[in-house]
Amino acid sequence: MDVINKAAGIEQLALARWLKGSSFAYPIVNALHIMSIGALLTSVFLMDLRICGAFRSLPRAAFVALLRRTALVAFAGALVTGSLLFSVKASTYAAMPIFLAKMALILIAGVNFLAFTRFRRVTDEPAGGTVLLSMLLWICVLVAGRFIGFF
C-alpha cells in the first residue's frame, strides 16, 4: 500500500470525517493551529535573539528556559492541530511537494534544536550559526505552510 492510499485511509477516520463535516470545528482547529504557530515562532525568535545577546537586562537562563517551555507547548499544539487539519485532506497533502518540504524543514529545525541543546551543555560559547539557522528554518516552515493553501 503506498503513502497516498494510507493517507486516504486517514481521511476516512471518524474524527477526520467529523472535522470535515462540521461548520465550526475546522475553523476553530485552524485558528488554534495559527495561534500555536504564532506562539512557537515568537518564543523561538525571542529565545534565539536572547542567546545572540539581545534583552541583556533579562536573566539569560531563566528567560531561555521559559521560552523553551513555551516553544515546546506551542509545538505540541501545532502538532496536534496540524495533524487534525492534515486528516481532512491527507491524500492531497501527502502528494504535495510543498507539504513534504514543510515536514522536512520541521525535522531539520528539530535536529538543529537538539544539536544546539547538546552543544550548549558542552560549552558556553555563543552558537550564532545554530541560532541563525533556527530562525531561517522556522521562517521557511512558515512560508512553506502558507504556500500549501495556494497549491
Side-chain angles (χ1 to χ4, degrees):
M1 189 181 236
D2 67 339
V3 173
I4 303 301
N5 287 336
K6 288 181 182 179
I10 293 171
E11 294 173 18
Q12 299 310 311
L13 297 173
L15 183 59
R17 289 195 329 262
W18 172 77
L19 192 59
K20 192 175 196 173
S22 173
S23 60
F24 68 91
Y26 188 88
I28 290 171
V29 170
N30 195 5
L32 290 171
H33 188 63
I34 291 167
M35 287 172 44
S36 295
I37 292 168
L40 172 62
L41 292 180
T42 300
S43 58
V44 166
F45 272 59
L46 289 174
M47 183 173 26
D48 288 348
L49 288 171
R50 179 61 187 101
I51 291 166
C52 287
F55 316 116
R56 291 186 189 271
S57 63
L58 299 171
R60 181 177 171 162
F63 189 67
V64 170
L66 171 65
L67 291 171
R68 183 177 293 128
R69 285 191 301 271
T70 303
L72 290 172
V73 169
F75 182 79
L79 181 65
V80 169
T81 55
S83 297
L84 289 170
L85 295 173
F86 174 80
S87 72
V88 172
K89 294 182 180 179
S91 58
T92 301
Y93 292 141
M96 294 177 76
I98 193 72
F99 176 81
L100 299 174
K102 178 185 174 184
M103 295 299 105
L105 288 164
I106 291 170
L107 179 64
I108 294 166
V111 169
N112 182 64
F113 173 76
L114 292 174
F116 170 76
T117 302
R118 186 167 186 86
F119 176 76
R120 295 301 296 170
R121 286 187 192 144
V122 173
T123 180
D124 201 29
E125 294 295 317
T130 307
V131 171
L132 293 176
L133 180 60
S134 169
M135 295 171 122
L136 178 64
L137 285 168
W138 285 112
I139 289 169
C140 290
V141 168
L142 178 66
V143 170
R146 296 313 315 143
F147 270 88
I148 289 170
F150 296 98
F151 287 108

